[in-house]
Amino acid sequence: MSAETIAPPEPAPFVIAPGPHVRAEETTTKIMWTVNAALAPAALWGALVFGLPAVGVIVAAVAGAVASEAVAGRVVRTRTSVRDGSAFCTGLLLALTLPPLVPLWAAFLGGAFAIIFAKTIFGGLGYNLFNPALIGRAFLMATLPLPMTAGWITPAPFFANAAAVTTATPLGAWREQGITAAMNLLGGAGSPWVSLIVGLRPGSIGEVSVLLVVLGGGVLLARRIITPTIPLSILVGVLLTTAPSGQAGLHLLSGGLWLGALFMATDYVTSPSTRNGQIVFGLLIGALTGIIRIYGGYPEGICYAILLANTLVPALNLWFRPRRPVFAGAPS
Amino acid sequence: MSQTILLPERPPGAVALLLNGIFGENPVFRLALSLCPAVAVTTTVANGIMLGVAVLLVQVLSSVTVALVRRGIHPRVRIPAYTIIIAVWVSAIDMTLAGYFPVLYAQVGLYVKLIVAFAIIISRLEVFASRMPLIPTFWDGLGMGLGFLFALVVIGAFRELLGSGAILGHVVTPEKPLLFFALPAGGFFTIGILMAFFNALERWKRGGKAPTAAGGGAHG
């Protein structure tokens, strides 16, 4: 009977709780699916100009990544789920960096390797040291050197020619035969520069159309999902290292530079968190990309440049750690 | 006998020592010692067997030698003394292998000479042979040598099958399936995968409570 006499507690005027107190609407799931949507135009363009082989590679790589995320999530009981879109994103990014003529089983295996060995064994989403999609690509480069360096086909919009003709990429031709050969590859749309920007050139599935990659990146920038610091630093780094060769224009518009700069180097987990750290990180990637392209063993270097820079992220975070400003007369 | 702090007074039996070397304290998978040669020579099973047998012989002979003369070695100079004992046996085995197996020796000969610096051998001399009687020392050396041989054969089989599509030189698949595993990076991945497997095995055997492998900082 005493329970009836006690008045219910008044609602507290203040809620006292530990931080964070400001919560944004953004969740991992929302961000990852936005990234996937931003990649869609470039992926569709790749499917359009390279035809069925490219569609098959995209489907196989995404399937490999999502399937291994589902299996690995059960085996090691991480909190990550398939539905948050991060595994889908890894598979899609991997597919966009692959040549169209890579065998389908290899694309599937690359996606699985990326998730299992670059993400799950490090502890799942948020704990990976390296960009998983690029680890998948590096694994395939080591495993299948021939299809990975010679699986390019001439773009044929709207499935124009049924028989795919293997060819070289502009950067490959530039390395082997010089600038004239590279420009001859780009005759498709009247001017070689238009071909490069629109995406009528041989190359990896998702990298060919600079215009559509930048469009997707622009969506991420407008939504404040990424900041322009890292991409701009990378472009500056490439410009500085390739300008002495006289072909900075070709270098800035070809290869996987824009895809890597906008979608891979900006990965939250594997990039520095402070602005100064991001500038150093971006310049390093850009410079390494240019150096590998000109002096290294491969025509394209953005993949290894990002992976190498990833190893420095913990050091950069420590180095450019924000310090509390010291005020005169403040108690120490 | 002031040095027998780490080990029980009564040494374990032969079977326990052998199993300890092969599984419980497997040099590569559990102690994480001598990883460098374990990556370098294991592109094929045959190379792994050759180096594994050489290490087995050096381990047993050095352990037995140290167990026999341990009372005559002053503690202050024990490491140089052990190193000389190992070097003598390595030289003898190196010349024997070079004389009788010239083809295989051409591929792994460099690593046979390097056995002098393998961490697993001197560590067994230091922690076991220098403070135990002859018979247990023999079984410990044999177990550790067999454990190393076992590890090299497993890693070599894994890498030869995946990297070259063959086993002991017999072609299984006409194409090379996953060239990655024939490369050094693939060797590290192979050891990592197998180490995880042996850690899980040990944990399962002890009912969910087992220390993980020694891990980083290993050389030789």
Side-chain angles (χ1 to χ4, degrees):
Chain A
M1 67 173 282
S2 62
E4 292 167 15
T5 58
I6 296 173
E10 293 285 319
F14 300 107
V15 177
I16 300 171
H21 303 292
V22 181
R23 286 175 189 274
E25 294 289 305
E26 301 289 352
T27 59
T28 304
T29 309
K30 206 168 165 184
I31 289 175
M32 292 320 291
W33 284 112
T34 311
V35 173
N36 289 333
L39 284 168
L44 288 174
W45 179 261
L48 192 69
V49 294
F50 297 126
L52 281 178
V55 177
V57 168
I58 295 175
V59 171
V62 170
V66 172
S68 33
E69 175 86 3
V71 173
R74 280 176 180 268
V75 172
V76 300
R77 300 183 199 94
T78 54
R79 284 188 300 130
T80 50
S81 77
V82 172
R83 253 176 264 117
D84 70 12
S86 60
F88 189 97
C89 186
T90 297
L92 185 58
L93 274 174
L94 170 67
L96 298 189
T97 67
L98 296 178
L101 291 189
V102 154
L104 295 186
W105 64 265
F108 186 90
L109 195 71
F113 191 92
I115 290 295
I116 294 170
F117 287 100
K119 196 170 138 193
T120 304
I121 63 167
F122 283 97
L125 183 68
Y127 297 97
N128 47 308
L129 185 58
F130 298 100
N131 186 309
L134 291 178
I135 290 285
R137 183 185 151 81
F139 167 71
L140 290 179
M141 277 296 277
T143 302
L144 299 164
L146 201 62
M148 286 295 288
T149 49
W152 321 105
I153 50 181
T154 309
F158 304 105
F159 306 94
N161 57 347
V165 186
T166 56
T167 176
T169 61
L171 280 176
W174 176 78
R175 269 178 77 87
E176 302 299 325
Q177 294 145 353
I179 185 68
T180 322
M183 287 300 169
N184 284 342
L185 271 177
L186 301 167
S191 157
W193 302 112
V194 175
S195 297
L196 278 174
I197 291 168
V198 173
L200 282 171
R201 65 167 174 94
S204 296
I205 294 167
E207 74 179 23
V208 286
S209 176
V210 171
L211 187 69
L212 293 175
V213 171
V214 170
L215 184 76
V219 170
L220 298 187
L221 284 167
R223 296 283 309 273
R224 307 269 180 105
I225 288 176
I226 61 172
T227 58
T229 315
I230 293 175
L232 286 178
S233 312
I234 293 177
L235 295 179
V236 170
V238 171
L239 185 67
L240 289 178
T241 45
T242 56
S245 73
Q247 301 301 336
L250 175 73
H251 280 291
L252 282 176
L253 287 174
S254 53
L257 177 63
W258 291 85
L259 191 64
L262 286 166
F263 286 94
M264 295 181 190
T266 52
D267 176 17
Y268 296 147
V269 185
T270 57
S271 63
S273 35
T274 60
R275 170 160 295 197
N276 288 344
Q278 290 177 346
I279 291 171
V280 174
F281 178 74
L283 287 175
L284 195 71
I285 292 174
L288 282 171
T289 303
I291 289 166
I292 293 174
R293 280 185 186 180
I294 294 173
Y295 305 105
Y298 293 109
E300 172 58 304
I302 184 94
C303 169
Y304 295 113
I306 295 177
L307 288 176
L308 282 169
N310 281 345
T311 62
L312 290 176
V313 168
L316 287 173
N317 277 336
L318 204 62
W319 205 0
F320 294 103
R321 191 171 39 178
R323 287 181 173 78
R324 194 185 305 194
V326 181
F327 299 107
S332 55
Chain B
M1 293 294 285
S2 62
Q3 290 180 331
T4 53
I5 307 159
L6 294 172
L7 292 162
E9 286 297 319
R10 213 181 126 82
V15 177
L17 283 170
L18 280 177
L19 286 178
N20 181 53
I22 297 171
F23 296 106
E25 290 190 5
N26 184 293
V28 177
F29 297 136
R30 297 287 300 158
L31 302 183
L33 291 174
S34 301
L35 294 180
C36 183
V39 170
V41 303
T42 51
T43 48
T44 64
V45 179
N47 287 357
I49 291 176
M50 174 112 171
L51 190 74
V53 169
V55 168
L56 173 68
L57 293 173
V58 173
Q59 181 72 72
V60 173
L61 293 167
S62 311
S63 286
V64 167
T65 312
V66 167
L68 285 173
V69 300
R70 67 193 160 108
R71 288 182 205 285
I73 298 172
H74 192 282
R76 197 173 285 173
V77 295
R78 65 187 195 285
I79 299 294
Y82 297 164
T83 311
I84 290 168
I85 291 169
I86 297 170
V88 167
W89 286 118
V90 166
S91 303
I93 286 160
D94 182 54
M95 287 179 231
T96 312
L97 291 176
Y100 288 95
F101 305 97
V103 180
L104 267 180
Y105 183 81
Q107 290 181 35
V108 296
L110 182 67
Y111 292 95
V112 173
K113 289 188 180 69
L114 273 175
I115 293 175
V116 180
F118 278 18
I120 178 60
I121 300 195
I122 198 152
S123 78
R124 284 335 279 184
L125 301 188
E126 174 76 4
V127 304
F128 204 97
S130 64
R131 55 189 72 166
M132 281 288 168
L134 179 63
I135 303 300
T137 298
F138 170 77
W139 290 114
D140 177 71
L142 191 64
M144 285 292 155
L146 285 175
F148 194 76
L149 175 65
F150 167 71
L152 290 199
V153 168
V154 172
I155 300 166
F158 195 93
R159 292 180 69 188
E160 190 175 355
L161 192 62
L162 288 181
S164 318
I167 202 85
L168 271 170
H170 300 288
V171 176
V172 179
T173 57
E175 287 177 28
K176 297 187 174 182
L178 295 174
L179 190 59
F180 176 72
F181 284 99
L183 304 172
F188 282 111
F189 272 89
T190 307
I191 291 183
I193 294 166
L194 292 170
M195 203 179 262
F197 173 74
F198 277 88
N199 278 340
L201 192 74
E202 199 69 12
R203 190 171 301 172
W204 171 76
K205 227 170 65 187
R206 296 192 193 177
K209 285 176 298 219
T212 47
H219 291 285

